Structures are given as structure tokens and as C-alpha cells.
Amino acid sequence: MRTDMQGFEGCYRRIDRQQDAQDHVSEVFVPSAAAIGPWSDELQHGGPVGALLTRSMRQLPHGAPGRIARTTVEILGPIAMAPIEVTARVVRPGRKIELLSAVAHQVSESGTRPVAQATAWWLRSDESVEVMHSPEPALAPPTDEELERGELGVPASWRRGFVGSLRWAVRTPIGRIDGPAIAWASMPYPLVEGEIGDDLERCVAIADAANGVGSRLNPRDWVFMNTELTVHLAQPPVGEWTGMVAESWIGGDAVGMSSAVLSDLTGPVGRVAQSLLLERL
């Protein structure tokens, strides 16, 4: 755990929570230095914000035992290093399938504005071990050598804020151009101070770093900002570690996409995709 988190452990501290008669939940969170993004010390990283929206949807009351199978996070504008209010609700209730939504707001001089929103599909869970199948090969866990090198495989300009708060094991060079990049990252602290921490939230937060892991561009020359994040999970993630086999697809009009296969230490769990906006520095 890094020591630069403004005096508390986690990306956020919750300072208020309210729930109305319709089970609409509203919470206010203060970010720590572990929520800072890679492009500016004044802006939050999209990963922790997406995880916070996912957390709020996961904690809604549900009609049956199940889990979030897909979550999509949309970044609506710059998210300042200031408190955010997150509200969540069940859009489409059901016994087997539910559609959930969450929105994050910030207060500015011009009023309250939405800065991020998310939707998720909650699916009823049951037993299907006898037909389990993954089209992706298992990813070897981090080695002792990779763990010793740690964040040295991460570009120096990114070794701060959220990315710098993670524990890294980079297997192939970030920015390589001859194939996908492979890295493991661990979030060994809770998203919200005082909570045990949820494996889904950790996975979503780390998955947002896929565009960085799979980058084919030098961050000293280019900004490649993702506008959204979509995570499909065929298997619920387990543990602090998330592995990524990530690659970027760069178009000729300064637009691209990033995708990655996500794994935990037990095997592949799903995929992530992001749209990219490219700008030359």
C-alpha cells in the first residue's frame, strides 16, 4: 500500500449515504491521491470512478442471487479531484435478468453536472460447472522476477495516482508493436476506505488500464484517452490480481480502440473494450 493516499486507505472515503423509499441510493465520496489519473493531477482516473459506479449497482437490492455480467462506463467529461455523488437504481427489475444504472455528479461553479454514468446487466446465477468452457488460454501467474521488477515496466510518467498505487508485474514491454502486451496488476486495498473490498470492483478499476498496457504509442508523444469502458465477465473474478493480454487498434483518423482478455489467478474471466481518442502532444 502506497503512502500517498491523503491519510486514508482506499481510493475514496464515503462521507454521506441516503436511500429513499424506492431503494434509490445516493452516496458522496471524497477521492484520495490513489484516484488521480495519468494525464493530470487535477483529474480522477476513470478506473476508480467506473469501479465506484459498479459498486453502487452491485449493492442494489436484487430479485434473485446473481451477479453483474456486463458493465459499461461512460465518461461524460473531466472528473475533478473533488467529491462526487453517486446514485444508482434498478431500471428493469426481474427474477432472472435486471438492468441497472448509476450516475456520478460533481458540483461546479455552474451547478451540478453529471461526469460519468454506467449501466450493467445483472444475471441470475445457477450451477453449470459440468459445461464450463473458455476460448482463451490460461495466463501464467506473475513470476518472482516480474514482481521484483514491479512498476519498472510502467512508463515513469504513469507511476503516480491510481496506476502508481497498484502493484505491477509487467511481462512484455508496454508500447510494443509486434503483438499484445501482457501485464498483471494488483489492487491490494479497498476501493472505499473501511470496506473489505470487492473483487469485481478491483477488476473493473484495473481493466480501465488496458489501453495503457496495450498501448502502441509513446505517452511522451501521444495522448490516448478512452471515452468509455465495457467489461464482459463470463466468470466472476476472484482475488486482488487481474491479468491483461491487451492490444490497441489505431485508426488513421486519430480514433482507435483497445481490447484485452482479463484473467485472475484461476484463469480467464472475461474481456474489456474501450474507444480511444488520440491527440499528438
Side-chain angles (χ1 to χ4, degrees), residues 85-181:
E85 180 182 18
V86 178
T87 58
R89 66 189 182 96
V90 178
V91 177
R92 187 268 194 196
R95 293 184 297 109
K96 296 181 180 180
I97 300 172
E98 293 184 336
L99 179 62
L100 318 175
S101 73
V103 182
H105 288 83
Q106 281 192 317
V107 177
S108 66
E109 294 181 355
S110 58
T112 300
R113 66 183 179 92
V115 291
Q117 64 186 25
T119 59
W121 284 106
W122 174 279
L123 304 184
R124 179 268 299 140
S125 59
D126 206 338
E127 184 67 42
S128 60
V129 174
E130 72 278 6
V131 293
M132 282 182 65
H133 166 72
S134 170
E136 301 294 340
L139 184 62
T143 65
D144 291 340
E145 181 181 358
E146 290 167 351
L147 292 173
E148 288 176 5
R149 290 199 306 265
E151 66 177 16
L152 294 179
V154 178
S157 61
W158 296 351
R159 297 175 201 166
R160 58 189 178 84
F162 174 65
V163 173
S165 74
L166 300 175
R167 189 181 182 197
W168 286 92
V170 178
R171 181 156 300 161
T172 58
I174 290 177
R176 66 181 299 172
I177 60 173
D178 57 346

Side-chain angles (χ1 to χ4, degrees), residues 205-266:
I206 293 172
D208 192 67
N211 67 313
V213 171
S215 167
R216 290 174 175 262
L217 301 172
N218 190 322
R220 291 177 296 182
D221 301 326
W222 290 88
V223 172
F224 35 94
M225 209 179 300
N226 61 297
T227 58
E228 41 69 46
L229 169 77
T230 296
V231 178
H232 283 91
L233 293 168
Q235 183 77 4
V238 176
E240 297 177 356
W241 285 95
T242 297
M244 291 171 279
V245 181
E247 193 163 20
S248 290
W249 185 339
I250 307 300
D253 57 353
V255 175
M257 66 168 288
S258 174
S259 61
V261 175
L262 303 174
S263 296
D264 62 22
L265 294 178
T266 69

Side-chain angles (χ1 to χ4, degrees), residues 9-22:
E9 291 191 353
C11 292
Y12 298 96
R13 172 180 288 167
R14 189 178 69 185
I15 59 174
D16 189 34
R17 184 183 191 277
Q18 298 182 18
Q19 184 170 348
D20 64 21
Q22 286 74 45

